[in-house]
Amino acid sequence: MPSLKDLKNRISSVKSTRKITKAMQMVAAAKLRRAQDAAEMSRPYTERFNKVLGALAASVGSSPTAPKLLSGTGSDDVHMLVVMTAERGLCGGFNSSIVKLTRIHVEKLRAAGKTVKILTVGKKGREQLKRDYGNLFVGHVDLSEVKKLGYAEAQSIAKDVLARFDAGEFDVATIFYAKFQSVISQTPTAQQIVPAKFETVEDAGESTLYDYEPGEEAILADLLPRGVATQIFSALLENAASEQGARMSAMDNATRNAGDMIDRLTIEYNRSRQAVITNELIEIISGAEAL
């Protein structure tokens, strides 16, 4: 049974931990508001941009002059997985859920005889994947020094991916991230970015009403690299909001658990203290009676 001093020290330690988790929860809540606004404001632009590209891609179809980013290399033997996670922990299952989806995808591709390469964005995902798939790593993007995510970071990642594609290092590229739904819900998502895939555009026939200059193929050749950067930027923003939401939820749970532990330890401390006082009284009474 722990002594009164041990219990008192433990209560003090848990109280200090509760202060830290409460502070982290409040910081995450403040950051979440900005990150959520950024993610939500980017969605209409990304959706509209993809819709325009989808209409252009539908009009080009399987033309032999279609850009390589749209038509692909004609093979899908080598896959590049761009895994986006956080630079820091203490955010619940946010990083683990993305890594889990990546593992499933890797095993599925390897079972099909495909070659897999992994480009990591964020330290935590790299740490979790390193043990089993360290030999598949081809690069890493460190964003630990970035205070506020901007389009420049997405453009830098996109240039790296596109340079590897132009060099023939892979056939298909897929990004992995968590899409923000709410504070308690972040959905791990896998999205193919090379070759470009677009949802079916119902009114694609309307593209015949427009004349494109210099032409659909030339416009796509210019817009598709921007589309890759836009999708990566959107994924980074969704990830940032998901990370703060997961951290806020995790720190809230940790604060509540710390409070429950303090209550239990306080009860145990009071009972132990009462037992000590009772024993001392019994000893005094017994000594008095012996006299």
Side-chain angles (χ1 to χ4, degrees):
M1 183 177 179
S3 65
L4 289 177
K5 185 177 181 181
D6 292 337
L7 288 172
K8 194 171 184 179
N9 288 339
R10 192 174 180 190
I11 290 172
S12 177
S13 176
V14 176
K15 283 183 177 179
S16 297
T17 302
R18 183 173 63 173
K19 289 180 181 179
I20 295 172
T21 57
K22 183 65 176 177
M24 291 186 67
Q25 177 191 350
M26 295 175 67
V27 170
K31 290 183 177 180
L32 173 63
R33 171 59 63 184
R34 295 192 295 270
Q36 182 177 351
D37 289 344
E40 290 178 348
M41 286 190 293
S42 73
R43 289 175 184 173
Y45 173 79
T46 303
E47 291 172 359
R48 183 59 183 167
F49 190 82
N50 288 338
K51 187 175 291 186
V52 171
L53 287 181
L56 284 168
S59 65
V60 171
S62 57
S63 170
T65 59
K68 189 178 177 182
L69 277 176
L70 179 63
S71 60
T73 61
S75 174
D76 66 342
D77 293 332
V78 184
H79 288 250
M80 170 77 77
L81 309 184
V82 183
V83 185
M84 302 179 180
T85 54
E87 295 287 349
R88 299 171 182 83
L90 297 177
C91 49
F94 167 73
N95 293 310
S96 298
S97 61
I98 299 174
V99 170
K100 182 180 179 182
L101 180 62
T102 303
R103 289 180 184 275
I104 294 173
H105 204 75
V106 170
E107 294 303 325
K108 183 178 178 181
L109 290 173
R110 295 176 85 176
K114 309 297 183 182
T115 301
V116 179
K117 298 181 179 181
I118 299 177
L119 173 66
T120 54
V121 180
K123 182 173 67 175
K124 290 302 176 180
R126 185 177 183 84
E127 290 176 351
Q128 293 188 37
L129 291 168
K130 188 175 182 179
R131 177 184 297 179
D132 297 326
Y133 306 116
N135 60 318
L136 305 180
F137 289 170
V138 295
H140 175 66
V141 179
D142 185 359
L143 299 177
S144 58
E145 300 300 325
V146 178
K147 300 299 181 183
K148 183 179 180 181
L149 284 171
Y151 186 75
E153 285 74 33
Q155 198 170 35
S156 176
I157 298 171
K159 285 182 179 178
D160 185 12
V161 172
L162 293 175
R164 294 176 185 276
F165 180 67
D166 292 337
E169 295 185 19
F170 65 88
D171 301 311
V172 180
T174 307
I175 56 175
F176 293 81
Y177 64 98
K179 188 170 184 178
F180 180 79
Q181 302 292 341
S182 67
V183 175
I184 59 174
S185 176
Q186 302 87 34
T187 306
T189 304
Q191 180 180 349
Q192 181 177 314
I193 57 174
V194 179
K197 288 184 66 176
F198 304 102
E199 295 181 1
T200 303
V201 181
E202 295 180 359
D203 299 328
E206 292 183 1
S207 62
T208 56
L209 299 175
Y210 301 93
D211 290 328
Y212 293 97
E213 180 65 34
E216 288 92 334
E217 291 87 351
I219 294 174
L220 278 173
D222 183 61
L223 289 183
L224 284 173
R226 300 186 190 185
V228 172
T230 298
Q231 289 174 318
I232 291 176
F233 183 46
S234 178
L236 288 174
L237 293 178
E238 293 285 347
N239 243 19
S242 297
E243 177 189 349
Q244 298 305 331
R247 180 170 288 114
M248 179 181 170
S249 180
M251 291 301 100
D252 180 55
N253 290 333
T255 302
R256 293 174 185 272
N257 291 337
D260 293 340
M261 183 177 291
I262 290 171
D263 292 340
R264 292 196 300 270
L265 290 172
T266 301
I267 292 173
E268 186 177 352
Y269 174 81
N270 291 336
R271 287 176 177 172
S272 298
R273 184 167 176 270
Q274 184 178 10
V276 170
I277 294 173
T278 302
N279 289 334
E280 290 178 352
L281 288 174
I282 292 174
E283 289 177 358
I284 292 172
I285 294 171
S286 299
E289 290 179 349
L291 295 174

XYZ file of all heavy atoms in Angstrom, residues 39-117:
580
model
N -9.640 24.975 -44.504
C -10.016 23.752 -45.218
C -11.366 23.912 -45.911
O -11.535 23.522 -47.072
C -10.046 22.568 -44.252
N -12.324 24.508 -45.206
C -13.667 24.655 -45.776
C -13.689 25.669 -46.918
O -14.426 25.494 -47.891
C -14.650 25.054 -44.677
C -14.925 23.936 -43.669
C -15.854 24.363 -42.561
O -16.103 25.592 -42.439
O -16.335 23.494 -41.808
N -12.870 26.723 -46.808
C -12.834 27.724 -47.883
C -12.147 27.190 -49.136
O -12.419 27.656 -50.244
C -12.122 28.988 -47.385
C -12.952 29.829 -46.436
S -12.221 31.451 -46.084
C -10.761 30.965 -45.175
N -11.270 26.198 -48.963
C -10.567 25.655 -50.132
C -11.428 24.660 -50.909
O -11.165 24.413 -52.089
C -9.279 24.956 -49.691
O -9.548 23.730 -49.050
N -12.434 24.091 -50.252
C -13.227 23.041 -50.903
C -13.968 23.515 -52.148
O -13.922 22.838 -53.187
C -14.210 22.437 -49.893
C -13.535 21.580 -48.827
C -14.519 21.114 -47.780
N -13.852 20.373 -46.715
C -14.460 19.970 -45.607
N -15.750 20.239 -45.426
N -13.788 19.303 -44.672
N -14.689 24.660 -52.130
C -15.396 25.089 -53.350
C -14.461 25.298 -54.535
O -14.779 24.904 -55.662
C -16.065 26.411 -52.924
C -16.185 26.309 -51.443
C -14.977 25.563 -50.990
N -13.291 25.918 -54.288
C -12.339 26.143 -55.379
C -11.828 24.816 -55.934
O -11.787 24.625 -57.158
C -11.160 26.981 -54.875
C -10.043 27.109 -55.893
C -10.131 28.014 -56.946
C -8.913 26.304 -55.804
C -9.114 28.128 -57.884
C -7.895 26.403 -56.741
C -8.009 27.310 -57.770
O -7.005 27.406 -58.703
N -11.451 23.904 -55.016
C -10.926 22.609 -55.459
C -11.972 21.831 -56.250
O -11.664 21.251 -57.298
C -10.475 21.778 -54.247
O -9.506 22.523 -53.503
C -9.866 20.461 -54.683
N -13.210 21.827 -55.757
C -14.275 21.093 -56.443
C -14.556 21.694 -57.816
O -14.722 20.970 -58.805
C -15.546 21.107 -55.585
C -15.422 20.275 -54.309
C -16.617 20.453 -53.386
O -17.524 21.250 -53.758
O -16.628 19.844 -52.295
N -14.599 23.022 -57.888
C -14.880 23.666 -59.167
C -13.733 23.464 -60.149
O -13.946 23.228 -61.337
C -15.128 25.168 -58.936
C -15.514 25.928 -60.202
C -16.787 25.357 -60.816
N -17.142 26.024 -62.061
C -18.035 25.579 -62.926
N -18.673 24.442 -62.676
N -18.304 26.249 -64.014
N -12.500 23.568 -59.633
C -11.319 23.375 -60.478
C -11.308 21.964 -61.053
O -11.057 21.761 -62.247
C -10.058 23.625 -59.646
C -8.794 23.680 -60.447
C -8.418 24.834 -61.108
C -7.967 22.576 -60.543
C -7.247 24.900 -61.851
C -6.794 22.618 -61.280
C -6.436 23.789 -61.936
N -11.601 20.977 -60.191
C -11.632 19.592 -60.662
C -12.768 19.363 -61.653
O -12.635 18.559 -62.586
C -11.780 18.641 -59.473
C -10.516 18.566 -58.641
O -9.430 18.881 -59.125
N -10.651 18.164 -57.390
N -13.881 20.082 -61.467
C -15.002 19.930 -62.390
C -14.634 20.464 -63.778
O -14.960 19.858 -64.803
C -16.227 20.665 -61.847
C -17.489 20.426 -62.653
C -18.702 21.078 -61.994
C -19.066 20.387 -60.699
N -20.321 20.920 -60.128
N -13.933 21.592 -63.805
C -13.491 22.154 -65.082
C -12.510 21.205 -65.765
O -12.622 20.928 -66.971
C -12.836 23.531 -64.863
C -12.165 24.024 -66.149
C -13.875 24.544 -64.396
N -11.550 20.700 -64.992
C -10.596 19.761 -65.571
C -11.283 18.480 -66.024
O -10.921 17.898 -67.049
C -9.516 19.417 -64.536
C -8.490 20.517 -64.231
C -7.484 20.013 -63.209
C -7.769 20.965 -65.488
N -12.289 18.049 -65.256
C -13.030 16.846 -65.636
C -13.760 17.026 -66.948
O -13.791 16.114 -67.789
N -14.338 18.215 -67.154
C -15.037 18.490 -68.414
C -14.057 18.509 -69.577
O -14.330 17.979 -70.665
C -15.778 19.825 -68.304
N -12.897 19.126 -69.362
C -11.877 19.154 -70.418
C -11.367 17.753 -70.720
O -11.188 17.374 -71.884
C -10.716 20.053 -69.992
C -10.941 21.567 -70.077
C -9.825 22.301 -69.356
C -11.033 22.008 -71.528
N -11.135 16.978 -69.654
C -10.636 15.613 -69.843
C -11.648 14.761 -70.590
O -11.285 13.934 -71.438
C -10.310 14.983 -68.493
N -12.945 14.964 -70.302
C -13.982 14.196 -70.986
C -14.037 14.544 -72.473
O -14.296 13.687 -73.319
C -15.338 14.458 -70.332
N -13.783 15.809 -72.792
C -13.822 16.211 -74.198
C -12.608 15.695 -74.967
O -12.690 15.383 -76.149
C -13.896 17.740 -74.300
O -12.710 18.327 -73.793
N -11.474 15.584 -74.255
C -10.266 15.059 -74.892
C -10.368 13.557 -75.071
O -9.959 12.996 -76.086
C -9.015 15.425 -74.058
C -7.788 14.704 -74.585
C -8.802 16.929 -74.077
N -10.953 12.892 -74.055
C -11.134 11.448 -74.115
C -9.811 10.718 -74.181
O -8.856 11.047 -73.499
N -9.727 9.718 -75.025
C -8.513 8.900 -75.156
C -7.677 9.333 -76.358
O -7.090 8.516 -77.058
C -8.891 7.423 -75.295
O -9.766 7.233 -76.398
N -7.658 10.620 -76.586
C -6.899 11.152 -77.723
C -5.414 10.828 -77.564
O -4.858 10.907 -76.462
C -7.088 12.673 -77.799
O -6.197 13.235 -78.729
N -4.741 10.442 -78.651
C -3.307 10.128 -78.569
C -2.454 11.344 -78.211
O -1.312 11.201 -77.786
C -2.971 9.612 -79.969
C -4.034 10.169 -80.853
C -5.272 10.238 -80.014
N -3.011 12.550 -78.375
C -2.267 13.774 -78.043
C -2.574 14.264 -76.634
O -2.131 15.342 -76.244
C -2.609 14.882 -79.042
O -4.026 15.143 -79.013
C -2.193 14.493 -80.449
N -3.340 13.478 -75.861
C -3.684 13.868 -74.493
C -2.420 13.948 -73.643
O -1.486 13.171 -73.829
C -4.654 12.862 -73.884
N -2.358 14.898 -72.691
C -1.171 15.022 -71.833
C -0.896 13.730 -71.064
O -1.813 12.975 -70.732
C -1.549 16.156 -70.877
C -2.612 16.928 -71.590
C -3.371 15.917 -72.393
N 0.363 13.492 -70.797
C 0.775 12.271 -70.094
C 0.186 12.193 -68.693
O -0.118 11.104 -68.198
C 2.302 12.230 -70.036
C 2.870 10.915 -69.517
C 4.384 10.962 -69.534
C 4.976 9.670 -68.951
N 6.463 9.726 -68.926
N -0.004 13.354 -68.053
C -0.580 13.367 -66.708
C -2.028 12.897 -66.708
O -2.549 12.490 -65.669
C -0.516 14.780 -66.106
C 0.802 15.192 -65.460
C 0.740 16.643 -65.010
C 1.124 14.285 -64.272
N -2.681 12.951 -67.866
C -4.060 12.490 -67.982
C -4.122 11.057 -68.488
O -4.859 10.233 -67.952
C -4.842 13.406 -68.926
C -6.307 13.039 -69.173
C -7.102 13.130 -67.872
C -6.917 13.962 -70.231
N -3.365 10.753 -69.512
C -3.422 9.422 -70.121
C -2.591 8.399 -69.356
O -2.836 7.195 -69.439
C -2.934 9.493 -71.573
O -1.592 9.971 -71.628
N -1.578 8.862 -68.618
C -0.722 7.942 -67.893
C 0.383 7.382 -68.766
O 0.542 7.755 -69.936
N 1.123 6.459 -68.208
C 2.248 5.857 -68.932
C 1.840 4.613 -69.712
O 2.662 4.031 -70.420
C 3.363 5.471 -67.943
O 2.852 4.498 -67.015
C 3.857 6.694 -67.175
N 0.580 4.215 -69.558
C 0.126 2.982 -70.200
C 0.386 1.764 -69.342
O 0.153 0.633 -69.768
N 0.874 1.966 -68.121
C 1.171 0.866 -67.210
C 0.835 1.300 -65.790
O 0.701 2.499 -65.503
C 2.647 0.475 -67.313
O 2.979 -0.493 -66.328
N 0.680 0.341 -64.896
C 0.463 0.653 -63.478
C 1.303 -0.271 -62.594
O 0.869 -0.721 -61.545
C -1.015 0.546 -63.110
C -1.543 -0.873 -63.220
O -0.884 -1.704 -63.894
O -2.593 -1.163 -62.623
N 2.521 -0.517 -63.041
C 3.390 -1.449 -62.327
C 4.059 -0.822 -61.106
O 4.332 -1.499 -60.124
C 4.480 -1.985 -63.276
C 3.892 -2.861 -64.369
O 2.837 -3.469 -64.117
O 4.474 -2.925 -65.469
N 4.351 0.473 -61.176
C 5.055 1.150 -60.077
C 4.146 2.212 -59.483
O 3.662 3.103 -60.197
C 6.368 1.797 -60.570
C 7.118 2.406 -59.384
C 7.237 0.779 -61.291
N 3.927 2.114 -58.165
C 3.028 3.043 -57.472
C 3.804 3.892 -56.478
O 4.609 3.369 -55.701
C 1.927 2.277 -56.741
C 0.903 1.681 -57.651
N -0.388 2.153 -57.732
C 0.985 0.643 -58.542
C -1.067 1.435 -58.615
N -0.256 0.519 -59.122
N 3.543 5.182 -56.506
C 4.119 6.116 -55.544
C 3.022 6.501 -54.547
O 1.962 6.996 -54.939
C 4.638 7.365 -56.245
C 5.034 8.493 -55.303
S 6.624 8.231 -54.512
C 7.705 8.663 -55.883
N 3.278 6.271 -53.258
C 2.320 6.619 -52.209
C 2.860 7.817 -51.438
O 3.947 7.750 -50.855
C 2.104 5.439 -51.265
C 1.776 4.082 -51.916
C 1.482 3.037 -50.844
C 0.615 4.197 -52.887
N 2.110 8.909 -51.462
C 2.491 10.118 -50.734
C 1.681 10.141 -49.440
O 0.474 10.403 -49.458
C 2.218 11.385 -51.566
C 2.697 12.626 -50.816
C 2.903 11.291 -52.926
N 2.348 9.836 -48.331
C 1.670 9.666 -47.040
C 1.820 10.941 -46.219
O 2.926 11.308 -45.819
C 2.248 8.461 -46.266
C 1.457 8.227 -44.984
C 2.241 7.217 -47.137
N 0.702 11.606 -45.948
C 0.704 12.871 -45.213
C 0.213 12.661 -43.785
O -0.929 12.249 -43.576
C -0.186 13.899 -45.920
C 0.221 14.195 -47.349
S -0.892 15.398 -48.113
C -0.168 15.549 -49.747
N 1.088 12.936 -42.828
C 0.724 12.836 -41.413
C 1.233 14.080 -40.690
O 1.758 14.998 -41.302
C 1.315 11.564 -40.778
O 2.733 11.539 -41.015
C 0.697 10.307 -41.375
N 1.117 14.063 -39.362
C 1.521 15.222 -38.563
C 3.002 15.160 -38.206
O 3.623 14.099 -38.254
C 0.672 15.285 -37.290
N 3.536 16.301 -37.841
C 4.910 16.376 -37.358
C 4.981 16.082 -35.860
O 6.050 15.773 -35.338
C 5.495 17.778 -37.618
C 5.652 18.131 -39.079
C 6.800 17.389 -39.750
O 7.592 16.758 -39.032
O 6.894 17.434 -40.993
N 3.842 16.159 -35.176
C 3.806 15.957 -33.729
C 2.740 14.934 -33.368
O 1.812 14.682 -34.127
C 3.518 17.279 -33.005
C 4.575 18.347 -33.265
C 4.159 19.700 -32.713
N 5.151 20.730 -32.995
C 5.229 21.397 -34.149
N 4.357 21.130 -35.108
N 6.165 22.309 -34.333
N 2.890 14.364 -32.185
C 1.938 13.378 -31.693
C 0.890 14.004 -30.779
O 0.525 15.167 -30.939
N 0.421 13.207 -29.831
C -0.609 13.641 -28.879
C -1.874 14.115 -29.588
O -2.474 15.131 -29.223
C -0.075 14.746 -27.960
C 1.090 14.364 -27.046
C 1.558 15.575 -26.238
C 0.714 13.227 -26.120
N -2.261 13.386 -30.635
C -3.483 13.742 -31.369
C -4.332 12.495 -31.616
O -4.888 12.307 -32.701
C -3.154 14.465 -32.671
S -1.903 13.678 -33.709
N -4.388 11.633 -30.601
C -5.245 10.454 -30.696
C -4.809 9.500 -31.794
O -3.626 9.263 -32.005
N -5.793 8.987 -32.515
C -5.509 8.017 -33.573
C -5.374 8.641 -34.944
O -5.459 7.930 -35.958
N -5.131 9.956 -35.005
C -5.054 10.650 -36.292
C -3.975 10.052 -37.190
O -4.238 9.646 -38.330
C -4.790 12.135 -36.050
C -4.379 12.899 -37.272
C -5.291 13.197 -38.269
C -3.059 13.318 -37.444
C -4.906 13.892 -39.402
C -2.667 14.017 -38.564
C -3.601 14.304 -39.553
N -2.739 9.995 -36.689
C -1.636 9.471 -37.502
C -1.795 7.986 -37.786
O -1.556 7.518 -38.899
C -0.300 9.731 -36.794
C 0.036 11.206 -36.704
O -0.010 11.923 -37.691
N 0.347 11.679 -35.501
N -2.216 7.242 -36.768
C -2.332 5.784 -36.913
C -3.371 5.392 -37.953
O -3.195 4.404 -38.668
C -2.675 5.149 -35.558
O -1.657 5.398 -34.622
N -4.467 6.153 -38.042
C -5.520 5.818 -39.007
C -5.030 5.992 -40.447
O -5.349 5.174 -41.321
C -6.759 6.689 -38.762
O -6.454 8.065 -38.932
N -4.234 7.036 -40.696
C -3.684 7.240 -42.035
C -2.670 6.150 -42.363
O -2.651 5.601 -43.467
C -3.026 8.630 -42.142
C -4.063 9.726 -41.900
C -2.373 8.817 -43.517
C -3.477 11.128 -41.834
N -1.822 5.822 -41.378
C -0.815 4.776 -41.577
C -1.489 3.425 -41.811
O -1.038 2.634 -42.655
C 0.132 4.707 -40.359
C 1.020 3.476 -40.437
C 0.998 5.969 -40.299
N -2.560 3.164 -41.089
C -3.280 1.892 -41.262
C -3.825 1.759 -42.683
O -3.704 0.694 -43.312
C -4.426 1.801 -40.253
C -5.208 0.499 -40.332
C -6.329 0.464 -39.299
C -7.131 -0.832 -39.400
N -8.253 -0.854 -38.416
N -4.420 2.837 -43.202
C -4.932 2.808 -44.574
C -3.790 2.599 -45.565
O -3.931 1.861 -46.551
C -5.671 4.113 -44.876
C -6.264 4.248 -46.288
C -7.316 3.175 -46.530
C -6.863 5.648 -46.488
N -2.643 3.234 -45.290
C -1.474 3.075 -46.160
C -0.989 1.631 -46.159
O -0.663 1.073 -47.217
C -0.334 4.002 -45.702
O -0.802 5.355 -45.684
C 0.862 3.893 -46.633
N -0.914 1.028 -44.986
C -0.472 -0.371 -44.885
C -1.373 -1.298 -45.698
O -0.898 -2.186 -46.410
C -0.470 -0.817 -43.421
C 0.626 -0.179 -42.566
C 0.537 -0.686 -41.123
N 1.482 -0.047 -40.262
C 2.743 -0.419 -40.108
N 3.188 -1.476 -40.777
N 3.560 0.224 -39.289
N -2.681 -1.091 -45.579
C -3.632 -1.915 -46.334
C -3.389 -1.765 -47.831
O -3.373 -2.752 -48.582
C -5.081 -1.523 -45.968
C -5.383 -1.875 -44.501
C -6.078 -2.203 -46.894
C -6.725 -1.367 -44.019
N -3.167 -0.528 -48.265
C -2.938 -0.251 -49.684
C -1.629 -0.885 -50.158
O -1.570 -1.469 -51.248
C -2.907 1.264 -49.901
C -3.238 1.681 -51.298
N -4.521 1.666 -51.801
C -2.459 2.115 -52.322
C -4.516 2.083 -53.060
N -3.262 2.356 -53.395
N -0.582 -0.770 -49.335
C 0.718 -1.338 -49.703
C 0.619 -2.852 -49.859
O 1.107 -3.426 -50.852
C 1.786 -0.979 -48.642
C 3.067 -1.776 -48.885
C 2.103 0.506 -48.689
N -0.002 -3.499 -48.878
C -0.114 -4.962 -48.931
C -0.959 -5.413 -50.113
O -0.662 -6.428 -50.748
C -0.710 -5.487 -47.617
C 0.181 -5.268 -46.409
C 1.560 -5.886 -46.579
O 1.666 -6.961 -47.219
O 2.548 -5.288 -46.102
N -1.983 -4.657 -50.429
C -2.832 -4.993 -51.572
C -2.039 -4.889 -52.878
O -2.135 -5.764 -53.754
C -4.042 -4.047 -51.605
C -5.035 -4.349 -52.704
C -6.222 -3.397 -52.629
C -7.216 -3.668 -53.759
N -8.371 -2.715 -53.696
N -1.250 -3.831 -53.006
C -0.445 -3.648 -54.221
C 0.642 -4.705 -54.339
O 0.878 -5.260 -55.426
C 0.185 -2.248 -54.221
C -0.768 -1.062 -54.414
C -0.035 0.257 -54.215
C -1.405 -1.104 -55.805
N 1.304 -5.009 -53.228
C 2.377 -6.008 -53.265
C 1.826 -7.394 -53.565
O 2.476 -8.207 -54.231
C 3.134 -5.999 -51.941
C 3.855 -4.702 -51.686
C 4.518 -4.648 -50.338
N 5.834 -5.251 -50.324
C 6.637 -5.264 -49.279
N 6.249 -4.700 -48.150
N 7.824 -5.827 -49.339
N 0.626 -7.670 -53.066
C -0.002 -8.965 -53.361
C -0.318 -9.097 -54.844
O -0.342 -10.207 -55.392
C -1.272 -9.130 -52.527
N -0.545 -7.938 -55.489
C -0.837 -7.939 -56.926
C 0.438 -7.887 -57.766
O 0.367 -7.781 -58.993
C -1.739 -6.764 -57.273
N 1.595 -7.932 -57.110
C 2.863 -7.926 -57.828
C 3.350 -6.554 -58.260
O 4.213 -6.451 -59.136
N 2.819 -5.497 -57.649
C 3.219 -4.143 -58.021
C 4.430 -3.694 -57.194
O 4.675 -4.176 -56.086
C 2.061 -3.161 -57.786
C 0.739 -3.578 -58.407
C 0.804 -3.656 -59.920
C -0.574 -3.997 -60.509
N -0.540 -4.127 -61.969
N 5.176 -2.762 -57.750
C 6.295 -2.143 -57.045
C 5.785 -0.896 -56.334
O 5.072 -0.077 -56.929
C 7.417 -1.751 -58.017
O 7.877 -2.923 -58.700
C 8.578 -1.112 -57.274
N 6.143 -0.757 -55.060
C 5.641 0.357 -54.247
C 6.793 1.243 -53.800
O 7.840 0.756 -53.361
C 4.876 -0.161 -53.012
C 4.376 1.003 -52.160
C 3.705 -1.044 -53.435
N 6.595 2.556 -53.922
C 7.530 3.553 -53.403
C 6.753 4.496 -52.500
O 5.580 4.794 -52.768
C 8.196 4.319 -54.544
C 9.029 3.454 -55.478
C 9.680 4.285 -56.582
C 10.535 3.406 -57.495
N 11.188 4.208 -58.568
